[in-house]
Amino acid sequence: MDGNGLLGSLDSKPYRFTHLLQTEGENQKEEIVRGGTTWRKKISTMPFSI
């Protein structure tokens, strides 16, 4: 499965996601916190897999 699926798509570029937590009031939604994550392929530090 090398190079297919999600791991294959991470070779080309990192993926960035924004996460939002908010409350819902009577007339509007109030933002509590916003955060982000970046997913990228891990570079192996070992020359051989065990």
Side-chain angles (χ1 to χ4, degrees):
M1 232 172 120
D2 205 18
N4 293 327
L6 179 61
L7 292 180
S9 64
L10 288 175
D11 287 336
S12 59
K13 60 184 174 186
Y15 285 88
R16 292 184 176 89
F17 299 94
T18 301
H19 312 279
L20 177 64
L21 179 64
Q22 56 187 188
T23 60
E24 193 169 317
E26 280 188 33
N27 296 327
Q28 63 182 18
K29 294 181 180 178
E30 183 178 345
E31 185 174 318
I32 296 173
V33 67
R34 184 182 299 233
T37 55
T38 302
W39 289 72
R40 60 184 178 268
K41 186 174 180 180
K42 182 177 181 180
I43 299 172
S44 177
T45 57
M46 296 179 63
F48 302 104
S49 298
I50 297 176

